[in-house]
Amino acid sequence: MVIGTRTGADGTREHAEFADWLAERARVNAQRVEPIPFSALSGWDFDATTGDLRHHTGRFFSVRGLRVRGAGPEGRADRSQPIIDQPEIGVLGILTRTVDGVRSFLLQAKAEPGNVNGVQLSPTVQATRSNYTRVHRGGSVRYLEHFTDRRGRGRVLVDVLQSEQGSWFLRKRNRNMIVEVADDLPVHDDFRWLTLDEIRALLRRDNLVNMDARTVLSCLPPEHPADEHGALHSPAELSSWFTEAKTRCELTADVVPLTRVTGWHRTPTEIACDAGGRFRIIAVDVTAPHREVPSWSQPMLAPCARGLAVLLYRRIGGVPHFLMQALAQEGCLDRLEIGPTVMCVPDEQAGLPPDRRPPLLDVFGSLAPDRIRYDQVQSEEGGRFFAAENRYVIAELDDAFPTDVPPRFCWMTLRQLKELLRHSHYVNIEARTLVACAEALG
């Protein structure tokens, strides 16, 4: 069964049953999220010396300052900004099982304070270390033992550290896991087994499959046998290209006290850029009776505009090749990772001269509508970001587009991207979402 595409009475009934379940979970998991002044935060305060915004336990996360040096790819000058520092490695884990030859995955209907529509489909377990060690003195995390207790695990299919948003997080990593279980587990009402076809159909809807589920699913092993004969570049050539890009990268970023961040100002309700745009740091009060802790307050990063992540591809020798770029971001652990063809905030590009705009943004903008293969709005992490969305697009170039591309770009097959996802710090989180979406195209 593929939700949204299967016809006939049975498919209609199953689709309606899923929709009813999701609507009921949204009702049960309803939450209230209200912006508040920083002075109303409970357990959080600005450090008297550094100005950093921290939790009194020293856990969870903090808002610090970052000074960035070295021109970026579009020639941006040296700058500074706030950034979220969450050094803990959390668990993003999905349980899977096979019944009658069909593999399914246990996803959770989970509400996060930053979600644009309340409930989204998340991994079986989505928890920071502070949460699952119960620093907040809340309830335990369901199914956690399958990912943290070796005796409780089944067969591990995926276990890899992956980065998160490099412009908003400081060297943030989470453990992405998929564990196969043989036993028929008791399933709580907030959880549901879904096949890969069902999940991929749901990826064709806006803001439903959350960022954490997308990144874990992108790390699934390739479904088809290896065939590199049709690839433009060998694995060794890809490795050499990426190594060369790292050696050319001049971007450096150093943590500084929040009080030393220039070009930003703090009011009772926000930390914002003097020039406008980009993002703000705000505070919210959350009431969510269904969560491990029923109420709390916290800072959040609130983007000022929707982002854009575009994956362009063309067929080379009959094989689809995706045009990836070595993308430097200030919060990346290793300075740069492999990102989509275009990644930007379109509102920030208005009025800039061509040499300051992402190189292939105009190529994308000139494509005919029939070249678009995927075009959906997807939410980013709802636990730290407030109403953060990106428009994710996959589009096909015609065969006349040159295979010879600037040094920061490289053609890769989907199989090659999947192989890179077996390793940490190669493919950034926006590109991982697009990998999951590309697989949803069939």
Side-chain angles (χ1 to χ4, degrees):
M1 193 247 318
V2 180
I3 295 175
T5 61
R6 179 174 172 176
T7 58
D10 289 344
T12 301
R13 183 169 59 250
E14 289 168 341
H15 186 182
E17 196 271 332
F18 171 84
D20 289 345
W21 170 80
L22 188 63
E24 176 63 12
R25 298 339 297 161
R27 185 190 66 79
V28 170
N29 293 311
Q31 58 184 359
R32 179 188 57 78
V33 182
E34 294 182 355
I36 57 173
F38 292 123
S39 60
L41 283 168
S42 176
W44 297 82
D45 208 347
F46 291 97
D47 184 272
T49 302
T50 65
D52 295 352
L53 184 52
R54 300 178 179 275
H55 194 262
H56 68 85
T57 62
R59 302 291 294 276
F60 301 108
F61 65 97
S62 59
V63 180
R64 308 177 71 186
L66 195 72
R67 177 178 293 129
V68 185
R69 296 184 176 90
E74 278 70 64
R76 291 180 295 173
D78 294 357
R79 62 201 184 278
S80 59
Q81 66 170 75
I83 197 161
I84 297 176
D85 183 12
Q86 186 174 327
E88 299 177 345
I89 295 176
V91 173
L92 306 178
I94 296 179
L95 293 180
T96 183
R97 68 177 184 182
T98 300
V99 177
D100 296 329
V102 178
R103 181 176 294 281
S104 57
F105 300 83
L106 189 63
L107 298 188
Q108 177 184 182
K110 188 180 182 70
E112 294 281 10
N115 286 358
V116 295
N117 58 348
V119 163
Q120 296 183 9
L121 294 176
S122 78
T124 317
V125 169
Q126 176 184 315
T128 67
R129 182 170 179 81
S130 289
N131 283 341
Y132 70 72
T133 57
R134 301 171 71 178
V135 172
H136 49 43
R137 299 182 181 179
S140 58
V141 177
R142 291 185 178 88
Y143 308 110
L144 178 66
E145 67 278 6
H146 295 282
F147 304 98
T148 58
D149 184 352
R150 287 189 176 274
R151 294 168 299 178
R153 290 185 199 165
R155 184 167 70 102
V156 176
L157 303 184
V158 171
D159 193 352
V160 60
L161 293 177
Q162 297 289 10
S163 63
E164 300 213 355
Q165 281 82 358
S167 294
W168 297 341
F169 274 126
L170 179 64
R171 303 167 194 139
K172 177 73 171 68
R173 300 179 294 168
N174 270 325
R175 190 177 184 183
N176 289 227
M177 300 183 70
I178 299 178
V179 175
E180 184 175 46
V181 291
D183 298 335
D184 190 15
L185 301 174
V187 176
H188 182 270
D189 290 343
D190 283 342
F191 294 76
R192 187 178 181 94
W193 291 105
L194 294 168
T195 68
L196 198 53
D197 282 344
E198 290 172 336
I199 296 168
R200 287 173 174 171
L202 294 171
L203 280 168
R204 304 302 296 264
R205 292 165 58 177
D206 290 350
N207 295 321
L208 182 52
V209 181
N210 83 354
M211 182 203 81
D212 298 299
R214 299 193 305 264
T215 178
V216 175
L217 291 168
S218 75
C219 297
L220 273 168
E223 296 176 312
H224 307 293
D227 182 6
E228 298 300 338
H229 297 296
L232 183 63
H233 301 293
S234 69
E237 289 170 333
L238 295 184
S239 178
S240 179
W241 165 78
F242 193 45
T243 302
E244 173 66 19
K246 288 182 178 181
T247 64
R248 291 196 312 267
C249 182
E250 298 179 353
L251 189 72
T252 62
D254 300 302
V255 176
V256 298
L258 195 56
T259 54
R260 291 175 57 191
V261 169
T262 58
W264 293 69
H265 62 275
R266 190 178 107 194
T267 74
T269 57
E270 66 176 10
I271 302 171
C273 184
D274 294 346
R278 302 196 70 188
F279 61 83
R280 303 174 299 133
I281 303 296
I282 63 172
V284 297
D285 184 74
V286 185
T287 301
H290 59 284
R291 293 291 294 266
E292 296 91 352
V293 175
S295 63
W296 71 94
S297 60
Q298 66 172 88
M300 299 195 82
L301 185 151
C304 297
R306 179 181 291 168
L308 173 69
V310 179
L311 197 54
L312 299 179
Y313 75 97
R314 61 154 291 185
R315 297 180 185 276
I316 302 173
V319 178
H321 282 67
F322 296 90
L323 188 55
M324 313 304 295
Q325 68 166 311
L327 184 65
Q329 290 182 293
E330 44 269 57
C332 281
L333 182 67
D334 204 13
R335 297 191 297 172
L336 57 75
E337 293 185 346
I338 297 169
T341 319
V342 176
M343 201 171 89
C344 66
V345 178
D347 286 4
E348 295 178 1
Q349 306 303 315
L352 291 180
D355 63 339
R356 296 284 303 278
R357 292 159 60 86
L360 295 172
L361 179 60
D362 293 334
V363 170
F364 163 67
S366 67
L367 291 177
D370 64 0
R371 287 285 172 177
I372 306 300
R373 304 291 179 255
Y374 180 92
D375 191 351
Q376 304 292 150
V377 174
Q378 300 289 359
S379 294
E380 302 310 314
E381 209 273 340
R384 300 290 176 264
F385 310 142
F386 186 80
E389 294 177 312
N390 277 322
R391 178 189 173 198
Y392 285 97
V393 182
I394 301 174
E396 185 174 7
L397 300 163
D398 62 39
D399 292 346
F401 191 87
T403 58
D404 187 17
V405 293
R408 73 189 255 197
F409 292 92
C410 189
W411 296 101
M412 301 181 193
T413 67
L414 185 59
R415 171 80 193 200
Q416 288 175 324
L417 281 166
K418 296 287 287 184
E419 290 293 339
L420 290 174
L421 283 169
R422 297 171 55 194
H423 309 283
S424 303
H425 313 306
Y426 272 79
V427 183
N428 79 3
I429 195 157
E430 291 84 3
R432 295 200 301 274
T433 277
L434 284 162
V435 167
C437 296
E439 293 185 295
L441 297 180

